[in-house]
């Protein structure tokens, strides 16, 4: 009986032992010093490259409808990605001290440009929102996108300075001037009617306060005030109320007010498990109004299916985890606040965009970070990714691990560590 039962138990035990060993290996790999570095590098690269492919696929019909070459939007996005790559490399090599010096001019420049948008003849209105400045020809600048980066850098430097003076234990130093300046930015953006960017900036503010350790009552108070203001802005706009009414809609409704939301769901449904194939989208043929910008995730779902959309979600999840890990492991207050702010910005914007496509949130008109068409959104986001790369490289043990991977260093180091054994030792 005993010998007969042993063969049945051995495979089960070996299976459990193998699973435990696999778990230990995965845990060791996950805890390595360079995990966050590679997640930020690899995740952002894959999102950007896949975004370029989908912009090319989703924008061809739109370009032809406007009498433009089919590669018009793709070429502009490729140029923006090339410039953004240079900005990413600069940010990845920029010293923290220089970043902190750069924070205040960045905020002042953003405020100036946001004011400039409201000057008649300079600001440009697109789809009912006045948030652009024409740079001549087909090029435009959206200052509100750069305001996100400016708020992160300035807010991180401000909180780091106050922490060094042990002032963050007082509620007035947590709120002033961070909250008033942020509200000024929000007011200037709302003058142009851009509710989506306002939501993202608000989440950045809340993220900075959270990382700074704001008390629950104080955090809830700021959140409550912003929620009341948001309700007020929505109630006073028929357009925003109609967008709110389209959450979960399955029919375009009267006057086709939910046309975009419903056709985004149609695109995802058409994709099935593995999609109709790259370039084979039906909805981009005039049915979906913004196939290459706000609703590029829907075209991704139609052409690449559930597998493609889950891959995009996994990449953003990895990017978010890496940012949280960097913020949690650093001992530099500025790096902690900046990494937390960048992570909040990118993940919140991704949630707002994808939630709108899925019909879970109102359509806010914000692009999917690193993925949607739009140079004004891509450039500051890539600079922010460069910051995360620089911060991840400074994690404990990361610099030493990178140095070990340089050609010739690992072999020489290993040779020094191996002791010469006696001739008879095995």
């Amino acid at each position: 009986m005993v010998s007969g039962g042993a063969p049945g138990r051995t495979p089960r035990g070996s299976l459990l032992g193998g699973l435990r060993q696999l778990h230990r290996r995965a845990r060791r790999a996950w805890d390595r010093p360079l995990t966050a570095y590679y997640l930020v590098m690899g995740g952002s690269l894959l999102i950007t490259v896949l975004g370029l492919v989908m912009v090319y696929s989703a924008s061809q019909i739109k370009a032809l409808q406007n009498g433009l070459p089919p590669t018009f939007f793709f070429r502009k996005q490729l140029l923006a990605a090339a410039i953004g790559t240079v900005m990413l490399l600069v940010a990845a090599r920029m010293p923290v001290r220089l970043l902190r010096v750069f924070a205040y001019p960045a905020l002042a420049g953003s405020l100036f440009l946001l004011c400039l948008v409201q000057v008649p003849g300079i600001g440009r209105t697109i789809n009912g929102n006045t948030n652009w400045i024409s740079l001549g020809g087909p090029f435009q600048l959206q200052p509100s996108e750069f305001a996100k980066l400016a708020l992160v850098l300035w807010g991180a430097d401000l909180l780091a300075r106050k922490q060094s003076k042990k002032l963050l234990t007082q509620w007035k130093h947590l709120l002033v001037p961070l909250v008033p300046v942020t509200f000024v930015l929000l007011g200037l953006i709302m003058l142009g009617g851009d509710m989506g960017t306002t939501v993202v900036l608000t989440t950045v503010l809340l993220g900075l306060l959270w990382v700074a350790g704001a008390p629950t009552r104080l955090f809830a108070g700021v959140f409550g005030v912003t929620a009341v203001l948001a309700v007020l802005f929505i109630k006073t706009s028929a357009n925003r109320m109609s967008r709110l009414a389209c959450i979960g809609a399955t029919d375009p409704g009267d006057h086709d007010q939910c046309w975009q939301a419903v056709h985004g769901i149609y695109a995802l449904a058409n994709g099935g498990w593995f999609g109709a194939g790259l370039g084979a989208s039906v909805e981009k043929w005039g049915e979906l109004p913004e196939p290459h910008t706000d609703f590029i995730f829907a075209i991704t779902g139609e052409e690449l299916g559930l597998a493609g959309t889950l891959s995009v979600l996994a990449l953003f999840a990895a990017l978010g985890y890496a940012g949280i890990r960097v913020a949690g492991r650093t001992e530099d207050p500025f790096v902690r606040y900046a990494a937390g702010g960048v992570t909040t910005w990118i993940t919140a914007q991704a949630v707002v965009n994808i939630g709108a496509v899925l019909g879970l949130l109102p359509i806010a008109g914000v692009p999917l970070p690193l993925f949607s068409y739009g140079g004004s959104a891509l450039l500051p986001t890539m600079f922010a990714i460069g910051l995360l790369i620089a911060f991840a490289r400074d994690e404990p043990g990361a610099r030493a691990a990178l140095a070990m991977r340089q050609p010739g260093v690992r072999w020489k180091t290993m040779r020094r560590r191996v002791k010469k054994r006696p001739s008879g030792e095995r």
Side-chain angles (χ1 to χ4, degrees), residues 398-411 413-414 417:
R399 281 197 176 275
L402 282 173
M404 288 285 290
R405 293 177 182 271
Q406 294 178 4
V409 175
R410 184 177 179 86
W411 173 245
T413 306
M414 289 179 66
R417 289 182 178 178

Side-chain angles (χ1 to χ4, degrees), residues 129-384:
N129 292 344
T130 307
N131 291 300
W132 285 265
I133 296 175
S134 178
L135 300 179
F139 298 99
Q140 301 159 8
L141 179 69
Q142 190 175 0
S144 58
E145 293 292 340
F146 291 87
K148 301 171 187 176
L149 177 62
L151 177 61
V152 167
L153 292 177
W154 175 77
D157 179 72
L158 176 70
L159 293 173
R161 289 176 186 274
K162 292 196 172 189
Q163 180 174 331
S164 65
K165 298 178 182 178
K166 300 181 180 179
L167 297 175
L168 293 184
T169 54
Q170 305 176 37
W171 67 268
K172 60 181 180 180
H173 283 288
L174 264 173
L175 298 182
V176 181
L178 179 62
V179 174
V181 170
T182 304
F183 277 15
V184 170
L185 287 171
L186 296 177
L188 290 172
I189 293 171
M190 281 303 299
L191 283 177
D194 190 353
M195 188 71 181
T197 303
T198 303
V199 171
V200 175
L201 271 180
T202 302
T203 59
V204 171
L205 169 64
L206 295 175
L208 287 172
L209 290 176
W210 182 269
V211 176
T216 304
R217 288 186 300 174
L218 185 64
F219 186 85
V222 175
F223 181 81
V225 171
T226 55
V228 169
L229 292 175
V231 170
L232 180 63
F233 282 123
I234 292 173
K235 287 279 189 181
T236 55
S237 172
N239 180 42
R240 297 189 190 107
M241 286 296 295
S242 66
R243 293 188 180 191
L244 195 65
C246 291
I247 296 178
T250 56
D251 185 85
D254 298 334
H255 308 293
D256 291 332
Q257 66 176 4
C258 297
W259 180 274
Q260 187 174 15
V262 170
H263 278 271
I265 298 297
Y266 289 169
L268 293 171
N270 290 339
W273 289 99
F274 299 104
L278 193 62
S281 168
V282 174
E283 291 294 331
K284 68 183 180 183
W285 287 77
E287 299 296 333
L288 200 57
E290 299 293 338
H292 60 307
T293 55
D294 302 346
F295 272 71
I296 194 170
F297 189 75
I299 302 299
T300 303
E302 187 176 10
E303 296 189 351
L304 303 182
L306 181 64
T309 55
L310 289 179
S311 299
V312 174
L313 290 175
L315 290 172
F316 276 109
L319 201 56
Y321 165 78
I324 293 172
R325 171 173 162 149
V326 170
R329 290 196 172 194
T330 183
E331 297 180 358
D332 188 328
F334 173 80
V335 173
R336 182 183 305 115
Y337 298 134
V342 169
T343 306
T344 303
W345 158 20
I346 293 176
T347 53
Q349 188 164 318
V351 167
V352 170
N353 178 277
I354 295 173
V357 173
L358 296 177
L360 303 176
L361 295 174
I363 298 173
V366 296
L368 190 58
L370 300 172
F371 202 85
S372 295
Y373 168 79
S376 291
L378 184 62
L379 295 180
T381 306
M382 292 193 75
F383 188 90

